[in-house]
Amino acid sequence: MLWLYYAMVKGNAFLLITINCFGCVVETIYIVMFIAYAPIENRKLALKILFSMNIGAFTLILLLTHFLLKGNLQVIIIGWICVGFSVCVFAAPLSIVAHVIRTKSVEFMPFNLSFFLTISAIMWFGYGISLKDIYIVLPNVIGFMLGLVQMILYIFYKNIRTIKKVAVETALPESPVKNVVIIRTIGDDVLIPVEIQRYMKNNNEDAAAEVVELQGVDRHEPKIQEKSFEISNDIHQDESPV
């Protein structure tokens, strides 16, 4: 919107008018989609920014520069305002750059976006040089440098992945976990402590299996024969008379 205003005040800037008209339409669609589908808190924040910046700040700039400034001074002031906002646009991804350096992950900094922003900055720089318009040249020099930094970081960190691995218990703890199994016999019930050992069975799926060892305990009852059975998905117990 600011670049459209600048182009209309300056005159003879057909490309600035056409590309920024298209940009206003596309960005309006983005904003409408975001407000329609964003969570309620993000939606409120977006609406506050929309009304304060796109309506409030732009209207204030428009009124002040239109009624208080005239001639070449008006073009200069509007031009520097456009430079300031354009630098903010190019500098906005710096927070993502800091996140990439901190996490060593380029998940939130797609290469295509950085590449085309850099190409766009180069083309607008050439257009500004041809018009000898410093207000077009300056922000695109900064945009080119920031885009180049983003692409270098992407190339450097693209093969570095920080994957959170879930630790798998492969050995018995010092104090094995014990459950109590009740084995019903002809006489009284017998309580048997059960030690559970987890290990990884080396097969095609590296499926986990459990070995449960029943150890007889002499509690003045008849000696219980030691048993062992394997648990994979379902528990299958060899039931033999005690």
Side-chain angles (χ1 to χ4, degrees):
M1 291 166 64
L2 284 170
W3 280 111
L4 272 175
Y5 179 44
Y6 172 77
M8 292 177 181
V9 171
K10 180 183 178 181
N12 298 323
F14 176 74
L15 290 180
L16 276 178
I17 293 176
T18 54
I19 190 62
N20 286 289
C21 282
F22 177 77
C24 282
V25 172
V26 173
E27 296 295 341
T28 301
I29 295 173
Y30 290 162
I31 293 172
V32 170
M33 291 178 64
F34 182 87
I35 293 174
Y37 295 107
I40 185 66
E41 294 299 326
N42 293 347
R43 188 182 306 172
K44 290 179 180 179
L45 178 61
L47 288 172
K48 288 179 181 178
I49 296 175
L50 178 65
F51 284 105
S52 62
M53 298 298 295
N54 293 67
I55 297 176
F58 177 75
T59 302
L60 182 63
I61 292 171
L62 180 65
L63 294 176
L64 291 178
T65 56
H66 181 73
F67 292 106
L68 299 181
L69 302 174
K70 297 296 179 182
N72 191 46
L73 182 61
Q74 185 183 30
V75 175
I76 293 173
I77 297 299
I78 298 173
W80 281 112
I81 292 173
C82 290
V83 169
F85 276 94
S86 294
V87 170
C88 292
V89 169
F90 285 118
L94 288 179
S95 60
I96 302 298
V97 169
H99 180 76
V100 169
I101 296 174
R102 185 172 61 254
T103 62
K104 297 181 174 57
S105 172
V106 294
E107 180 182 1
F108 299 104
M109 191 178 71
F111 180 80
N112 290 340
L113 180 60
S114 301
F115 175 77
F116 282 106
L117 281 176
T118 306
I119 294 297
S120 175
I122 294 173
M123 300 305 295
W124 280 109
F125 172 79
Y127 178 69
I129 289 292
S130 67
L131 294 180
K132 297 180 181 180
D133 191 330
I134 189 174
Y135 309 114
I136 299 177
V137 171
L138 185 59
N140 286 290
V141 171
I142 298 173
F144 167 74
M145 292 189 295
L146 293 176
L148 195 61
V149 168
Q150 292 178 45
M151 290 193 295
I152 291 173
L153 284 176
Y154 184 91
I155 294 171
F156 184 77
Y157 287 115
K158 68 176 181 178
N159 294 324
I160 301 177
R161 297 179 180 178
T162 54
I163 302 175
K164 293 182 180 179
K165 296 182 179 180
V166 179
V168 179
E169 185 183 0
T170 58
L172 277 174
E174 294 181 359
S175 300
V177 179
K178 291 188 178 183
N179 293 336
V180 175
V181 176
I182 301 176
I183 300 179
R184 186 171 297 277
T185 62
I186 298 176
D188 297 330
D189 295 342
V190 180
L191 302 181
I192 305 296
V194 176
E195 293 186 358
I196 302 177
Q197 178 181 8
R198 303 178 185 275
Y199 69 97
M200 300 301 295
K201 181 184 290 183
N202 186 15
N203 54 20
N204 292 333
E205 299 180 354
D206 290 334
E210 297 178 353
V211 170
V212 179
E213 297 180 355
L214 301 182
Q215 298 179 350
V217 178
D218 186 7
R219 298 175 182 246
H220 304 293
E221 278 102 8
K223 183 71 173 180
I224 305 299
Q225 183 180 359
E226 291 187 0
K227 301 180 182 181
S228 65
F229 55 90
E230 182 174 309
I231 299 175
S232 56
N233 292 328
D234 299 321
I235 297 179
H236 301 285
Q237 181 175 350
D238 180 18
E239 297 183 356
S240 58
V242 177

